[in-house]
């Protein structure tokens, strides 16, 4: 079992799918409802080996440095910017997240929205709620045969591509890196070409300096008259005032928007957007990835990553550490996990220490990135305390852990 002190603490209502996996680490699992204020969080973190959070808990350098037993932070969400990744890496604390557990949820919502927009359902729905029976085919189209332009052909973009083709759509895409076209989709020669050919443009790029404001008045003007825009990616990718104007000018026939330049922090906050009040616009409160299936998948994905790190030392999916992944230990073998500063000679010193203790190494894998190196060694059974004590004396050691 892993020689670790401390508990696994689950905050913010993490899905129960994580719990069974975390229990397999052999550590005590404690669940705390909701998020905690910084003082209480610090108290809880003081004897935590693993902190499991979602997006509301901020883990800064001071907190990491005040938590001596902390080895792992599980972000049960997509983003990790609520955690000081550098401070975690400096102490050999692994940070895991779930980059694609909600991919399908976003793709499905987008597909549903494009069908709704092309059928003018938002308008017909508004009519019905205000007592108007407007039965008409005017402006209502099948999606079959229409062109969908996907900007950002990554996890979500490619899933959407498959689903849209299944409905008979022609799919084109634009990405900054060359991507394998899925099915019959093909890459547009340029963003401008994609915008001018698409009946529906859907954004699936990350928020970066290169995507901020990438859809402004010029790009909107370059879209087909009567086409639709869907932004389920990030709020600052689209100039929202320019989008409102393109809708008012009837250059665009409608839009669906899930993400906004400024989003309220909590459910009780007021919200306003220049897009409000238009019955050809579907507005949703950043729920593209929010389904129970996605929550369960996130629980399972991050739970499993933590389980493997605690039981086997695997950092292959960590976002902040050198990626090291050895196969499971053979029966009877012990495992040494060593994080150290990336300077020449440390591995040699480790070998000398282990040889001095008569330890036989059977497998070894080291990776370095930046200032940090991580090595996993499988060894014939050892006297743990002695080995830990001697290796800890190597001055570049950041953290040593053994699994027996
Ligand atoms: P991904 O990383 O798999 O794909 C993003 C793609 O965009 C990559 O292929 C990348 O090369 C491409 N890209 C980056 N910069 C570009 C540029 N300037 N021009 C064209 N292509 C560019 O990401 P994934 O998982 O598909 O997510 C996409 C977006 O969806 C992200 O912004 C993410 O935050 C957002 N998202 C929104 C959710 C919601 O609840 N509405 C939930 C999950 C993700």
């Amino acid at each position: 079992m892993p020689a670790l002190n401390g508990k696994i603490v689950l905050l913010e209502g993490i899905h129960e799918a994580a719990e069974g996996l975390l229990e397999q680490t052999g550590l005590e699992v404690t669940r705390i409802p909701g998020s905690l204020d910084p003082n209480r969080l610090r108290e809880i973190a003081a004897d935590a080996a693993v902190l499991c959070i979602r997006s509301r808990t901020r883990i800064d350098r001071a907190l990491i440095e005040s938590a001596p037993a902390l080895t792992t932070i599980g972000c049960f969400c997509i983003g990790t910017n609520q955690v000081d990744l550098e401070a975690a890496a400096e102490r050999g604390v692994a940070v895991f997240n779930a980059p694609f557990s909600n991919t399908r949820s976003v793709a499905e919502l987008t597909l549903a929205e494009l069908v709704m927009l092309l059928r003018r359902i938002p308008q017909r729905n508004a009519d019905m709620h205000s007592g108007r029976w407007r039965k008409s085919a005017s402006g209502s189209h099948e999606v079959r045969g229409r062109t969908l332009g996907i900007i950002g052909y990554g996890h979500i973009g490619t899933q959407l591509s498959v689903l849209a083709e299944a409905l008979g759509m022609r799919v084109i895409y634009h990405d900054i890196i060359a991507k394998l076209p899925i099915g019959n989709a093909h890459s547009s020669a340029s963003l401008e070409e994609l915008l001018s050919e698409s009946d529906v443009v859907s954004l699936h790029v990350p928020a970066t300096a290169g995507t901020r404001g990438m859809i402004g008045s010029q790009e909107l003007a370059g879209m087909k008259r009567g086409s639709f825009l869907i932004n389920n990616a990030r709020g600052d990718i689209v100039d929202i005032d320019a989008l409102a104007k393109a809708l008012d000018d009837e250059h665009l026939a409608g839009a669906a928007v899930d993400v906004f330049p400024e989003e309220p922090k909590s459910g009780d906050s007021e919200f306003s957007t220049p897009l409000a009040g238009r019955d050809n616009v579907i507005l949703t409160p950043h729920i593209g990835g929010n389904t129970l299936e996605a929550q369960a998948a996130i629980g399972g994905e991050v739970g499993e990553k933590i389980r493997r790190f605690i039981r086997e030392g695997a950092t292959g999916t960590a976002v902040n550490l050198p990626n090291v992944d050895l196969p499971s230990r053979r029966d009877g073998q012990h495992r040494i996990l060593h994080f150290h500063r990336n300077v020449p000679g440390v591995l040699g010193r480790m070998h000398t220490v282990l040889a001095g203790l008569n330890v036989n190494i059977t497998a070894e894998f080291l990776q370095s990135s930046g200032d940090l190196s991580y090595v996993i060694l499988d060894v014939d059974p050892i006297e743990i305390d002695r080995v830990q004590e001697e290796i800890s004396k190597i001055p570049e050691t950041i953290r040593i852990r053994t699994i027996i």
Side-chain angles (χ1 to χ4, degrees):
M1 290 304 278
L4 265 186
N5 296 316
K7 298 180 198 155
I8 299 182
V9 183
L10 274 75
L11 296 156
E12 299 191 58
I14 286 163
H15 195 278
E16 61 204 25
E19 236 156 290
L21 291 161
L22 295 173
E23 277 159 7
Q24 289 174 31
T25 61
L27 299 175
E28 183 190 333
V29 179
T30 309
R31 186 181 271 280
I32 295 174
S35 52
L36 296 174
D37 67 64
N39 289 336
R40 184 78 185 109
L41 181 63
R42 185 180 287 242
E43 279 169 33
I44 293 289
D47 64 349
V50 181
L51 280 176
C52 299
I53 60 165
R54 290 172 68 188
S55 50
R56 264 179 297 156
T57 304
R58 212 174 112 64
I59 300 189
D60 58 14
R61 177 176 288 276
L63 184 77
I64 291 167
E65 288 178 354
S66 71
L70 191 65
T71 61
T72 321
I73 299 168
C75 298
F76 285 72
C77 50
I78 312 299
T80 52
N81 52 5
Q82 69 278 40
V83 177
D84 187 330
L85 297 178
E86 208 179 298
E90 281 169 23
R91 296 177 77 92
V93 173
V95 180
F96 297 101
N97 67 339
F100 25 76
S101 285
N102 63 6
T103 298
R104 180 68 179 207
S105 303
V106 182
E108 282 190 11
L109 177 70
T110 307
L111 188 76
E113 288 173 338
L114 74 84
V115 175
M116 295 291 128
L117 288 169
L118 277 155
R119 293 296 297 271
R120 303 292 201 270
I121 298 299
Q123 294 93 319
R124 297 295 83 79
N125 181 56
D127 289 343
M128 293 295 279
H129 281 284
S130 51
R132 289 191 300 267
W133 180 272
R134 283 205 182 126
K135 184 176 158 82
S136 158
S138 173
S140 176
H141 297 281
E142 290 184 351
V143 299
R144 181 170 46 167
R146 299 262 144 187
T147 299
L148 169 64
I150 298 174
I151 303 178
Y153 204 59
H155 294 117
I156 298 172
T158 48
Q159 280 280 320
L160 176 63
S161 177
V162 172
L163 296 173
E165 281 203 338
L167 291 183
M169 296 192 82
R170 172 177 171 255
V171 177
I172 55 178
Y173 66 87
H174 165 74
D175 202 293
I176 39 164
I177 29 184
K179 291 285 178 120
L180 174 72
I182 307 291
N184 301 311
H186 69 267
S187 171
S188 286
S190 64
L191 177 61
E192 291 69 31
E193 185 183 286
L194 177 140
L195 294 171
S196 68
E197 282 187 12
S198 302
D199 298 301
V200 181
V201 171
S202 194
L203 295 165
H204 300 288
V205 289
T208 65
T211 60
R212 189 165 306 123
M214 84 184 283
I215 303 296
S217 48
Q218 197 180 325
E219 289 71 26
L220 291 163
M223 286 174 66
K224 264 186 180 176
R225 188 160 188 90
S227 61
F228 300 85
L229 180 74
I230 301 179
N231 182 12
N232 290 339
R234 281 294 176 265
D236 55 9
I237 295 166
V238 176
D239 177 340
I240 208 157
D241 294 313
L243 174 58
K245 181 157 188 321
L247 290 160
D248 290 344
D249 294 347
E250 296 182 10
H251 181 65
L252 293 196
V257 179
D258 186 47
V259 287
F260 301 86
E262 277 166 37
E263 297 182 359
K265 293 260 175 294
S266 79
D268 302 329
S269 316
E270 288 280 314
F271 174 71
S272 71
T273 168
L275 299 175
R278 291 172 176 79
D279 65 6
N280 58 346
V281 178
I282 301 173
L283 296 177
T284 46
H286 203 147
I287 45 138
N290 283 33
T291 60
L292 295 176
E293 288 77 10
Q295 290 307 318
I298 289 170
E301 183 178 345
V302 184
E304 171 62 8
K305 288 175 179 177
I306 295 172
R307 188 195 69 80
R308 285 206 63 223
F309 178 59
I310 302 294
R311 288 190 64 114
E312 294 173 19
T315 55
T317 53
V319 296
N320 66 329
L321 295 180
N323 291 168
V324 181
D325 219 336
L326 267 186
S328 299
R329 281 172 301 142
R330 279 188 284 126
D331 278 350
Q333 294 274 287
H334 290 178
R335 185 165 276 190
I336 300 170
L337 318 172
H338 189 243
F339 289 98
H340 56 266
R341 286 199 295 286
N342 180 19
V343 294
V346 179
L347 202 55
R349 282 197 275 283
M350 275 186 82
H351 287 164
T352 307
V353 167
L354 292 172
L357 295 168
N358 214 18
V359 172
N360 184 40
I361 300 171
T362 56
E364 175 175 290
F365 185 18
L366 174 132
Q367 285 280 349
S368 298
S369 107
D371 294 335
L372 191 67
S373 295
Y374 178 39
V375 62
I376 301 183
L377 298 115
D378 281 353
V379 292
D380 286 338
I382 49 171
E383 217 185 299
I384 300 177
D385 292 344
R386 187 83 204 285
V387 166
Q388 294 216 154
E389 190 188 324
E390 291 304 315
I391 290 185
S392 300
K393 289 181 189 159
I394 298 172
E396 292 83 7
T397 296
I398 294 171
R399 184 184 288 272
I400 159 111
R401 180 156 76 88
T402 45
I403 304 174
I404 58 169

